[in-house]
Amino acid sequence: MVTRADPVGGVLRAAPTALDAAARSADEPARLAMLRSLGVVDGSTEERFQDLVRLAAWICGTTSSAVSFVDADRQWFKARHNVEPCETPREQSFCAHALDRPAEVLVVPDARSDPRFADNPLVTQEPGIRFYAGAPMVGSDGRALGTVCVLDDRPRELDADQREALAALARLAVALLELGLGRRTRDAITGLPDREAFEAWLSEPDPGGRGSPAGAEAAQGPLARALLVLDLDGFRRINLALGAQAADEALRVTAQRLLETAGEDALVARRRADQFLIAVPGRSATQARQLGRRLAAAVSAPIRTGGETVELTASVGVAWQEQPDRRALLREATLALEEAKRRGPSQLVLFDEDLRQAAQRRWRLEADLARAAERGQLWLAYQPLVDLETREVRAAEALLRWHHPTVGAIDPEELTSVARAAGLTHAVGSWALDQALGQLRRWRTLHPEADIGLGLNVDARQLEDPRLVSDLASALQSAGVPPRAVTLELTEHDLVGDTAVVLPRLQALRALGVRLAIDDFGTGTSSLAELDRLPVNCLKLDARLLDPVRDADSRAPVATAVIRLADALGLEAVAEGVEREEQVAWLRAQGVQRAHGPLLGEATGADTLAARLR
């Protein structure tokens, strides 16, 4: 049997009947979205399936065979043997019925005797199908996407071996589809296209053909497109609190909600652990923003996992272009997400001209930072740490500064952010470490009686770097300064992370002999239980804790509590941001011996600070 197309567009067409329409499951939108994300719902032939369909016909002894994917209103034959049309309406599709029972092979021995198909035009007219058997292709998410099917123009049956062979070929088709053989790959947890698959999509021309991830509208020419990057806020906490299995289930539920909300024409992919990419065609900027809000709302619905109910929030970056450049869209959506994350959780930002200008400035800074040190643009300022009784300088905190030749002085927080984005945290940190230890050596050589110490800020990226301990050990040896003279300062936020990584790193640093301090303590997220385990020597009170202090008898309950906590743990309490003599008197009354701040000395150059050591 050779099935033939009618003259209208090469597609077999007929009016739908009630018996022709296969039942549609409740999660049909998610199934269709998954199908669209695979990029197979179009009329092109997939050569990777051709040998498979010929083998199916040979094993089952039929005249025709195909690999069929069932879309919203049609089925697509991605590979076919003795089947001419590339598609048929869904209401005529035998394969649509096979989707109802994804674990079974659907066999129709004689279509004329089956009430579901007896009036089907494909049976009553050309090509006159009498026999059909279809094995569902079930994706990693458990949804049937289509079938490997065989057809004949005479009634017949399949024996058990033939049914099992057809089912095996369907599984092989899924493997070819989801592994991609160089085309598309799938995320093992969510079943979504993964980062590699999305990278392949980025490399494809835009617009694509009908049925591409851009949707059928792309066939009409260039079209607007929106790209959204959605990041789950604080998702790491679920992993730490409930375990990986519960976190994986939350990701699967989130992925399904994104598929259902984004729509049939969207491409939804998992970019990394807690971040998703959603590409949709034909949206205005306003519609793209609205879609972002709907996606965030869908994600925020409660999820039952690990025996607990969790509620997620999402930050969303949105980019939209009328004449889309896919890679530019991804860059812009990512920048919008970064801005959303800076504003706090549950924020949505649409990329605009202001962000573009900020991004151009950021890119220029990232490029220039790589050579800033050799061009003499980086320098260290030193904030004196003072004995509150004698007002003598006991240590200096090294603060990295960058004076850009055209932009001017770069804010320290922006400098840290630029270094992270440019992948220069280690390089810049190593430069600062060598410079600061060299200066400490010179101070201690010229003024041995001062026994001056040095404070160095270490951020989370440096703390996670396995080279930190060995780099510090080497730098200390080269500089010839005692480790006890060096204090590494880390913020509360940087210490609230993966304790499996952080704790051993801190213990290794203490083993070198350096001191460890928690900077800006009292306004962050430290767990008191964790604090007792951390091998730190010092708590530095956040400057804001001293705001209530007006005289020696002032009540500053939080500052008092932190000082008492440090004493109970056997740690030194050091005050930051001291601005008034009344604060000095209050701190001394509380037993605090050392502090720094504007009253006690501004951050300054090394030579200026050296004058205070004489």
Side-chain angles (χ1 to χ4, degrees):
M1 175 186 74
V2 178
T3 60
R4 301 192 180 278
D6 72 1
V8 183
V11 179
L12 287 161
R13 304 206 181 271
T17 68
L19 291 177
D20 294 333
R24 310 214 177 182
S25 62
D27 67 345
E28 179 72 353
R31 190 193 73 82
L32 292 174
M34 179 68 73
L35 186 63
R36 291 298 182 94
S37 74
L38 295 169
V40 293
V41 285
D42 58 28
S44 63
T45 298
E46 296 277 358
E47 290 297 328
R48 53 183 163 163
F49 295 132
Q50 284 301 127
D51 287 341
L52 187 148
V53 295
R54 285 192 288 267
L55 182 59
W58 180 76
I59 290 174
C60 296
T62 60
T63 56
S64 305
S65 57
V67 168
S68 164
F69 292 97
V70 181
D71 198 0
D73 57 0
R74 62 179 63 84
Q75 69 172 344
W76 303 91
F77 298 125
K78 298 302 291 181
R80 52 196 190 273
H81 173 62
N82 284 338
V83 176
E84 288 187 2
C86 63
E87 59 174 294
T88 70
R90 176 168 173 155
E91 61 264 18
Q92 296 178 5
S93 170
F94 283 68
C95 297
H97 290 266
L99 305 186
D100 295 340
R101 297 178 179 273
E104 302 176 11
V105 175
L106 173 65
V107 178
V108 182
D110 186 352
R112 290 184 184 175
S113 302
D114 192 312
R116 294 172 297 178
F117 307 107
D119 295 329
N120 191 314
L122 299 178
V123 177
T124 61
Q125 305 171 25
E126 287 292 329
I129 297 173
R130 295 293 298 275
F131 169 78
Y132 169 89
M137 295 182 293
V138 181
S140 57
D141 62 351
R143 298 184 176 94
L145 304 172
T147 69
V148 175
C149 63
V150 293
L151 310 99
D152 213 323
D153 57 1
R154 60 186 178 85
R156 54 171 299 126
E157 265 286 4
L158 291 186
D159 61 32
D161 289 341
Q162 289 172 322
R163 291 184 186 222
E164 177 54 38
L166 195 61
L169 290 175
R171 292 191 293 271
L172 177 58
V174 171
L176 291 173
L177 180 68
E178 295 197 336
L179 293 177
L181 294 182
R183 279 198 53 180
R184 296 282 166 88
T185 56
R186 315 291 290 177
D187 173 55
I189 295 174
T190 65
L192 296 176
D194 62 9
R195 187 171 184 170
E196 183 179 343
F198 198 84
E199 177 65 27
W201 178 82
L202 288 174
S203 301
E204 295 172 359
D206 200 347
R210 184 179 183 184
S212 71
E217 300 93 331
Q220 308 303 318
L223 47 80
R225 182 184 300 283
L227 182 62
L228 300 89
V229 185
L230 183 146
D231 189 273
L232 301 178
D233 301 321
F235 185 76
R236 193 178 189 182
R237 295 194 303 270
I238 295 179
N239 210 339
L240 294 173
L242 302 181
Q245 190 171 5
D248 288 351
E249 177 59 21
L251 286 172
R252 281 189 285 269
V253 172
T254 298
Q256 181 170 340
R257 290 176 178 176
L258 293 177
L259 283 168
E260 294 171 350
T261 305
E264 297 177 7
D265 56 354
L267 170 62
V268 181
R270 186 183 179 203
R271 189 181 196 181
R272 52 176 174 259
D274 52 3
Q275 195 171 103
F276 298 87
L277 299 160
I278 304 97
V280 290
R283 300 292 201 277
S284 68
T286 299
Q287 290 172 326
R289 185 190 290 111
Q290 291 170 346
L291 174 60
R293 298 200 184 286
R294 292 199 303 273
L295 291 168
V299 167
S300 67
I303 298 174
R304 186 70 181 173
T305 181
E308 301 286 343
T309 298
V310 299
E311 295 184 3
L312 302 175
T313 61
S315 299
V316 185
V318 184
W320 175 86
Q321 292 181 0
E322 189 170 356
Q323 301 289 330
D325 176 321
R326 293 182 177 184
R327 292 193 180 279
L329 267 177
L330 179 58
R331 288 194 300 271
E332 293 174 358
T334 301
L335 286 167
L337 175 67
E338 291 175 358
E339 177 61 24
K341 299 292 282 186
R342 276 193 287 270
R343 296 181 185 181
S346 302
Q347 298 294 312
L348 182 146
V349 171
L350 175 67
F351 187 85
D352 58 14
E353 187 57 34
D354 289 342
L355 271 181
R356 186 186 306 279
Q357 292 179 6
Q360 291 172 347
R361 179 181 187 275
R362 172 66 66 89
W363 293 330
R364 183 169 70 252
L365 291 178
E366 289 177 12
D368 291 346
L369 182 57
R371 302 186 64 184
E374 65 183 72
R375 292 171 175 169
Q377 298 168 11
L378 296 182
W379 61 286
L380 293 178
Y382 294 92
Q383 175 91 44
L385 181 65
V386 173
D387 185 303
L388 291 179
E389 181 178 359
T390 66
R391 301 296 174 98
E392 294 177 345
V393 176
R394 295 303 186 193
E397 180 181 355
L399 303 171
L400 181 62
R401 298 289 186 259
W402 181 16
H403 188 85
H404 191 278
T406 59
V407 178
I410 305 300
D411 180 82
E413 288 189 8
E414 184 178 17
L415 171 54
T416 299
S417 176
V418 169
R420 288 178 177 176
L424 294 171
T425 299
H426 178 260
V428 172
S430 295
W431 179 88
L433 176 64
D434 291 339
Q435 295 293 313
L437 291 180
Q439 184 59 59
L440 178 63
R441 180 187 66 240
R442 289 189 287 274
W443 282 334
R444 293 179 68 87
T445 299
L446 292 172
H447 308 283
E449 72 287 352
D451 193 27
I452 190 171
L454 176 74
L456 284 167
N457 292 294
V458 177
D459 74 2
R461 198 69 62 89
Q462 291 174 287
L463 189 60
E464 293 169 357
D465 192 329
R467 297 170 291 183
L468 175 62
V469 177
S470 59
D471 285 354
L472 180 58
S474 177
L476 286 167
Q477 184 174 15
S478 296
V481 298
R484 65 174 178 78
V486 176
T487 299
L488 300 185
E489 301 184 9
L490 310 103
T491 68
E492 288 186 83
H493 179 271
D494 292 340
L495 292 174
V496 181
D498 187 350
T499 55
V501 173
V502 171
L503 191 56
R505 192 68 40 79
L506 295 178
Q507 291 168 337
L509 290 170
R510 279 297 304 275
L512 286 180
V514 299
R515 289 165 50 85
L516 300 177
I518 300 180
D519 203 7
D520 302 325
F521 189 84
T523 60
T525 55
S526 291
S527 163
L528 296 182
E530 291 295 330
L531 181 61
D532 192 34
R533 298 174 55 203
L534 297 176
V536 298
N537 306 87
C538 173
L539 300 183
K540 298 187 71 176
L541 281 73
D542 187 276
R544 288 167 289 183
L545 301 185
L546 296 180
D547 286 346
V549 176
R550 301 301 174 189
D551 54 48
D553 297 324
S554 293
R555 293 186 70 257
V558 178
T560 302
V562 172
I563 295 168
R564 299 291 177 266
L565 174 64
D567 184 61
L569 295 173
L571 307 178
E572 180 187 11
V574 171
E576 298 182 293
V578 175
E579 298 177 332
R580 301 184 301 275
E581 288 291 349
E582 292 84 358
Q583 292 173 329
V584 173
W586 185 88
L587 288 167
R588 290 187 62 188
Q590 301 299 320
V592 176
Q593 298 178 355
R594 301 194 301 170
H596 58 67
L599 176 69
L600 305 171
E602 299 283 359
T604 187
D607 293 340
T608 303
L609 184 65
R612 295 187 60 178
L613 301 179
R614 296 191 180 100

